[in-house]
Amino acid sequence: MDFLLSGVAACGACLFTNPLEVVKTRMQLQGELQSPGTYTRHYRNVFHAFYTIGRVDGLAALQRGLMPALVYQFSMNGIRLGSYGIAESAGYTRRPDGQFSPLRSTLAGAVAGVMGAVTSSPIYLVKTHIQAQSAAEIAVGHQYQHEGMFHALVMIHREHGMAGLWRGAISAVPRVMVGSATQLTTFTSSKEFIGNLGIFPKDSWQVALSAGMTSSFTIAIAMTPFDVASTRLYNQPVGPEGQGLMYRGLLDCLAKIIRTEGLFGIYKGLGASYFRIGPHTILSLLFWDQLRNAYAGWTNQER
């Protein structure tokens, strides 16, 4: 039930934040391995990107890749949040004296993130490809021509086998490790701190909302460089043997971005990242917390 509730909470958040994921993906691919000022900026900022995509690709394009996004959120966050919830319920995130342990919480969040990232990597690969697809006049990054999630999975498997579906999975692990550890540790510690202040009623949605807002800021700062690299690695063109034609791996990708696009290149689309990660973190953790409380209340009544 922990896994199911976590997956449902993440999908609920995804319905609201998928357009921001589309914008974030496009902005992270814009000007790939090109020096600043040498390319056309189709997307000047988050709001201009929304306008441009809606005008050229159509409003429906703002929800492009929704199906793989929902499947990814259900599988990845179902495993990630579900595993962390079990660890939390079992007391592994607390010291023997019962006090919250940031170190244990960080380790539990990181391990849970790795499990979710590796398992759901093929769907994230497809999601990135589909969300990057656009009309030629505003295209950024390599353009795959998938007709949908299942078509993409079949074509990738047919061309590169099972290994092709997990291309980029190892490089994605640091992204989710950092993001998961940061998100869950700051959310749990913030929720406990805010709860102890007594501003809101115990276990109320206001406590979870406030903690989620705190967590969303820290995760955007910590995760964006890895998120940019992950988007580039997943979307790069591949050779006949399935090898990346632009980057050899995570460190090579980060080094090339910094060398050609400058240090701020690894923070490309930070505003879009926050606008996406922020609401998604707040909504998913709020839904997760409230669903767990509701389920706990229901099971107590049954007893």
Side-chain angles (χ1 to χ4, degrees), residues 22-300:
V22 174
V23 168
K24 176 185 73 72
T25 299
R26 303 277 184 92
M27 294 188 74
Q28 289 178 341
L29 290 171
Q30 182 170 239
E32 187 171 15
L33 296 187
Q34 298 180 61
S35 300
T38 63
Y39 58 88
T40 301
R41 291 182 62 196
H42 298 300
Y43 314 108
R44 292 196 293 271
N45 53 54
V46 177
F47 306 104
H48 182 256
F50 267 102
Y51 168 75
T52 302
I53 293 171
R55 177 179 60 82
V56 179
D57 287 341
L59 291 177
L62 290 168
Q63 280 288 15
R64 184 161 288 168
L66 179 61
M67 180 58 70
L70 288 171
V71 175
Y72 171 73
Q73 290 297 331
F74 186 84
S75 59
M76 197 278 279
N77 280 310
I79 294 171
R80 184 177 71 91
L81 295 179
S83 300
Y84 184 83
I86 291 173
E88 189 178 43
S89 299
Y92 294 131
T93 60
R94 296 184 177 275
R95 294 190 288 266
D97 61 2
Q99 294 297 312
F100 173 73
S101 171
L103 177 60
R104 292 188 176 195
S105 179
T106 299
L107 291 174
V111 171
V114 171
M115 293 168 58
V118 173
T119 303
S120 57
S121 184
I123 304 300
Y124 191 88
L125 173 70
V126 169
K127 178 189 74 69
T128 303
H129 289 182
I130 293 176
Q131 290 180 336
Q133 289 179 197
S134 65
E137 63 182 280
I138 58 169
V140 291
H142 184 71
Q143 293 289 297
Y144 288 90
Q145 300 301 322
H146 300 312
E147 297 175 7
M149 182 178 72
F150 296 109
H151 175 264
L153 291 170
V154 169
M155 293 303 296
I156 294 171
H157 180 267
R158 183 179 298 168
E159 292 179 18
H160 305 295
M162 288 297 293
L165 292 171
W166 264 270
R167 178 172 54 82
I170 299 301
S171 298
V173 166
R175 168 187 175 272
V176 181
M177 279 184 63
V178 171
S180 182
T182 304
Q183 181 191 59
L184 294 174
T185 301
T186 54
F187 176 73
T188 304
S189 58
S190 298
K191 191 173 75 166
E192 186 163 296
F193 175 76
I194 294 169
N196 291 336
L197 291 177
I199 301 173
F200 305 113
K202 181 176 169 44
D203 293 330
S204 74
W205 64 270
Q206 292 102 320
V207 175
L209 178 62
S210 301
M213 292 173 67
T214 303
S215 178
S216 66
F217 176 77
T218 56
I219 189 177
I221 298 298
M223 189 176 172
T224 294
F226 299 97
D227 197 38
V228 171
S230 185
T231 298
R232 301 277 184 93
L233 286 162
Y234 275 116
N235 194 67
Q236 69 175 324
V238 296
E241 301 301 321
Q243 76 279 13
L245 298 181
M246 298 179 71
Y247 313 105
R248 295 191 300 273
L250 177 64
L251 295 179
D252 180 58
C253 180
L254 289 171
K256 285 182 176 177
I257 292 173
I258 293 172
R259 189 162 58 244
T260 58
E261 302 173 46
L263 184 60
F264 289 109
I266 60 174
Y267 275 97
K268 187 166 285 185
L270 176 61
S273 294
Y274 177 75
F275 278 115
R276 181 264 166 189
I277 292 172
H280 187 85
T281 297
I282 293 168
L283 290 171
S284 62
L285 293 181
L286 174 62
F287 293 160
W288 180 54
D289 190 73
Q290 293 303 297
L291 284 170
R292 292 173 72 199
N293 288 339
Y295 179 70
W298 179 75
T299 52
N300 288 335

